[in-house]
Amino acid sequence: MVNKIRKAVFPAAGLGTRFLPATKASPKEMLALVDKPLIQYVVEESVASGIESILIITGRDKSAIENHFDISFEMEQMLIERGKTEMFEQIRAISDIARISYTRQKQALGLGHAIYQAKDFVGSEPFAALLADDIVDSEKPALQQMVEVYEKYNAPVIATMQVAGEDISRFGVIDADEVEPNVFKIKDMVEKPAYAEAPSDLAIIGRYIFTPDIFEAIEQTKPGSGGEIQITDAMRILLKKRPFYAVKLEGTRHDAGDKLGFLIATVELALKRADLGKEFREYLKGLNLR
């Protein structure tokens, strides 16, 4: 019997240096695409995929994340008094979205180290791990696409996308055989290979479903550059013991951890908004682009 994926882990302790100075005192995960923080998009995706409990791995100066998902009595009371019922319901829904708990990663020592902080929270269950940098705009939630593959093969699953040219060197890359349309059985994976040495054009992106034995693999993983423990290295250890699968996600993935990617995501998501899209589209058409 396949255990249901009920829990999700959100590593959110990174320093967000690519967005300085905006992230000097504000978490990168709280940067807003239109009017919603990055991390809320991904929390909503996980809840829509059946997740019941969430652990957010935070660090120093990340209290804004906890505040965002908490009840704001003063703001809610003000909205009620002013008759803004729809806005009140929208704000209250954020705090009611899921059971969310927090733990601190005292040092940012890599994604593998961050995920290891969830060992007690996860216990003996399979779980999902999601990065707020990766926003996937799709009809079926990205994590739900992965859950369906996990339930079919009863094995860890990672998300992948095709990356053309030398940009592949910015990602972990899989060597895999396609076993059904858009589903791959992984033979090996490598972290940020040189373009000429990349085993494929399939890059690993920020969605994972792990079995709890990933923690033992992380314990066996040696620190790499900068003393960081890479989750790709831990997955390679576990790959020797059990099969791994990858899903090429349907939908559009936005790299919101990159300034250009963030701007593109903002424009594309704004254009899809019923309350903004028409006027924003007309504005863009009127720009004198040179």
Side-chain angles (χ1 to χ4, degrees):
M1 180 177 177
V2 179
N3 292 325
K4 181 182 177 183
I5 306 295
R6 302 186 312 114
K7 298 179 178 179
V9 176
F10 288 69
L15 299 176
T17 53
R18 286 192 287 175
F19 274 92
L20 285 171
T23 50
K24 180 176 182 290
S26 178
K28 171 188 63 176
E29 295 80 11
M30 290 301 296
L31 293 173
L33 287 177
V34 189
D35 58 1
K36 189 187 300 182
L38 294 174
I39 196 166
Q40 186 178 334
Y41 282 95
V42 187
V43 167
E44 289 175 348
E45 176 194 318
S46 67
V47 171
S49 303
I51 296 298
E52 300 168 5
S53 298
I54 290 170
L55 178 68
I56 300 179
I57 312 296
T58 65
R60 290 185 298 275
D61 302 321
K62 298 280 186 169
S63 59
I65 298 174
E66 297 186 38
N67 292 340
H68 181 69
F69 290 106
D70 200 355
I71 291 174
S72 177
F73 292 104
E74 296 83 357
M75 179 176 290
E76 291 182 2
Q77 186 62 33
M78 179 271 291
L79 293 173
I80 292 171
E81 290 174 355
R82 296 184 181 181
K84 298 184 177 182
T85 305
E86 184 177 346
M87 191 170 292
F88 161 76
E89 292 173 350
Q90 182 182 28
I91 295 299
R92 174 52 68 92
I94 296 171
S95 56
D96 292 341
I97 192 169
R99 294 195 299 270
I100 301 179
S101 54
Y102 304 86
T103 193
R104 273 199 175 190
Q105 183 187 15
K106 295 180 180 179
Q107 289 180 284
L109 294 177
L111 182 56
H113 182 263
I115 289 174
Y116 190 76
Q117 308 309 304
K119 183 178 180 181
D120 290 341
F121 167 78
V122 167
S124 59
E125 297 185 42
F127 66 101
L130 303 92
L131 304 185
D133 284 0
D134 283 317
I135 303 297
V136 182
D137 183 18
S138 58
E139 288 190 19
K140 180 184 291 185
L143 183 59
Q144 179 60 36
Q145 297 176 44
M146 299 171 64
V147 167
E148 292 173 2
V149 174
Y150 165 79
E151 290 176 344
K152 181 173 183 177
Y153 292 98
N154 193 21
V157 180
I158 63 176
T160 188
M161 68 173 187
Q162 286 183 293
V163 175
E166 296 189 5
D167 284 347
I168 195 69
S169 298
R170 297 169 42 224
F171 298 87
V173 183
I174 64 171
D175 181 10
D177 294 323
E178 192 167 21
V179 293
E180 60 178 279
N182 295 328
V183 177
F184 302 82
K185 186 174 183 181
I186 298 174
K187 296 186 292 185
D188 198 3
M189 56 189 88
V190 59
E191 182 68 21
K192 297 180 180 179
Y195 170 56
E197 299 173 2
S200 72
D201 61 355
L202 294 173
I204 301 169
I205 60 174
R207 299 288 187 278
Y208 309 83
I209 292 176
F210 290 121
T211 45
D213 45 0
I214 190 63
F215 297 114
E216 181 181 351
I218 293 172
E219 290 170 355
Q220 298 171 21
T221 302
K222 296 180 180 179
S225 176
E228 294 191 346
I229 298 174
Q230 301 294 344
I231 193 63
T232 303
D233 294 336
M235 289 191 293
R236 291 188 75 195
I237 292 172
L238 191 55
L239 184 61
K240 297 175 182 178
K241 301 178 180 180
R242 61 157 63 243
F244 258 78
Y245 290 84
V247 180
K248 188 165 69 171
L249 297 175
E250 296 178 6
T252 301
R253 179 257 185 182
H254 297 289
D255 181 5
D258 171 81
K259 290 177 183 177
L260 179 59
F262 183 87
L263 291 171
I264 292 170
T266 300
V267 171
E268 294 203 6
L269 292 177
L271 287 171
K272 297 181 75 170
R273 289 274 294 259
D275 58 337
L276 296 171
K278 183 178 179 180
E279 292 183 20
F280 189 42
R281 183 172 284 103
E282 291 304 314
Y283 165 74
L284 293 175
K285 287 179 180 178
L287 290 177
N288 183 18
L289 300 177
R290 298 179 180 176

